[in-house]
């Protein structure tokens, strides 16, 4: 079962998780069917976006009688999950909810835990969540126009569909210097590939510029903070089939500790095998697919060295 939420920033599809929180899901469906959320506004956008009963007292269907944080299939408060808000005691939740903008695993335990009852269902919805956060941060009003319950045709009950990554998936990157085709390598880094696909389908890279061209060309979130899909929680450098940072490979950038990567990536301009070990290793998740794409990479490096802006116009999967 899904919730379709139409907002002034676009549509959000939320997949309910009754395997984790059946009482909570039934409670939320009752609230949705009563029209309770229609016309409400989001008012918070720090590490979550939040909406509901803030400042308006408890509305039907009344208080939620139980906190189901650990009563069913446990789901952590990771990026894109949706949970019940409550005060400093666990069993006082109501129809106030939030969507996590980043991995907020501390909320799994704080004040008895914040119960996850749904998750953002697709990349387009993630993009809408991001826009809402930006608008609320700018003190703009973001209204929920309407929420309705719909049946999910694409997955088994209660579970998000898993991305099938057989190894042939490509990223098609259109830049100001030409096109780059990147072949994803889920045999080496399956979670990283799924993470990058989620970022691509949300449109995160569209309009970003390359800014580095020494031994790599690099692009992503430089100077803009962490955007959906949040931080990458694991470094898969040696988790699967090992791929070295040789010329034409594409890897996740990170600081001086291994498990802090996000959507910042680089393409190696030469063999940089020292990156296989430095700071825990830099995980290769794709490689340039053909000679024409590598020529484009070379042109981007030359333009950036000349201090010219090279923008990514669009990235698509396929």
């Amino acid at each position: 079962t899904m919730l379709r939420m139409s907002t002034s920033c676009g549509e959000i599809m939320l997949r309910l998780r009754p395997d984790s929180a059946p009482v909570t899901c039934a409670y939320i469906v009752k609230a949705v069917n009563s029209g309770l959320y229609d016309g409400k506004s989001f008012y918070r956008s720090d590490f979550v976006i939040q909406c509901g009963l803030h400042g308006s007292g408890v509305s039907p269907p009344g208080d939620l009688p139980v906190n189901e944080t650990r009563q069913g299939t446990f789901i952590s408060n990771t990026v894109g999950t949706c949970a019940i808000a409550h005060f400093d005691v666990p069993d006082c939740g109501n129809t106030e909810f939030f969507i996590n903008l980043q991995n907020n695993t501390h909320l799994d335990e704080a004040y008895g835990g914040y119960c996850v009852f749904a998750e953002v269902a697709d990349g387009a919805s993630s993009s809408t969540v991001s826009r809402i956060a930006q608008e609320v941060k700018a003190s703009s009003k973001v209204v929920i126009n309407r929420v309705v319950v719909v049946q999910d045709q694409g997955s088994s009950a209660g579970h998000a569909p898993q991305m099938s990554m057989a190894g042939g998936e490509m990223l098609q990157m259109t830049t100001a210097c030409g096109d780059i085709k990147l072949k994803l390598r889920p045999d080496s880094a399956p979670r990283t590939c799924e993470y990058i696909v989620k970022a691509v389908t949300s449109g995160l890279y569209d309009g970003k510029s390359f800014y580095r061209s020494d031994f790599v060309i690099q692009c992503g979130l430089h100077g803009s903070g962490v955007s959906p899909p949040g931080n990458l929680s694991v470094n898969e450098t040696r988790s699967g089939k090992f791929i070295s940072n040789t010329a034409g490979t594409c890897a996740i950038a990170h600081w001086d500790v291994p498990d802090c990567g996000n959507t910042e990536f680089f393409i190696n301009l030469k063999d940089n095998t020292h990156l296989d070990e430095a700071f825990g290793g830099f995980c290769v998740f794709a490689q340039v697919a053909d000679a024409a794409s590598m020529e484009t990479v070379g042109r981007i490096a030359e333009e950036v060295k000349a201090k010219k802006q090279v923008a990514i116009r669009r990235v698509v999967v396929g």
Side-chain angles (χ1 to χ4, degrees), residues 44-50 69-70 74-83 98-110 113-116 129 226 229-231 233:
R44 180 177 182 178
S45 64
D46 43 6
F47 53 93
V48 302
I49 57 171
Q50 190 162 327
T69 299
R70 305 239 175 212
F74 174 66
I75 304 175
S76 181
N77 279 270
T78 53
V79 61
T81 54
C82 186
F98 60 84
I99 300 175
N100 287 291
L101 296 173
Q102 62 188 41
N103 291 335
N104 294 316
T105 53
H106 64 285
L107 299 179
D108 299 341
E109 304 293 339
Y114 290 81
C115 177
V116 171
V129 169
V226 177
N231 283 321
S233 59

Side-chain angles (χ1 to χ4, degrees), residues 143-162:
V143 176
I144 296 176
N145 299 320
R146 193 177 181 211
V147 189
V148 296
V149 180
V150 296
Q151 293 305 307
D152 180 11
Q153 302 299 320
S155 66
S156 59
H159 292 276
Q162 298 298 309

Side-chain angles (χ1 to χ4, degrees), residues 79-96:
V79 61
T81 54
C82 186
I84 294 290
H86 60 74
F87 291 107
D88 297 353
V89 289
D91 295 330
C92 69
N94 52 44
T95 49
E96 187 86 9

Side-chain angles (χ1 to χ4, degrees), residues 51 55 81 170-171 195 220 235:
C51 181
T81 54
M170 304 281 283
L171 301 181
Y195 173 90
N235 184 333

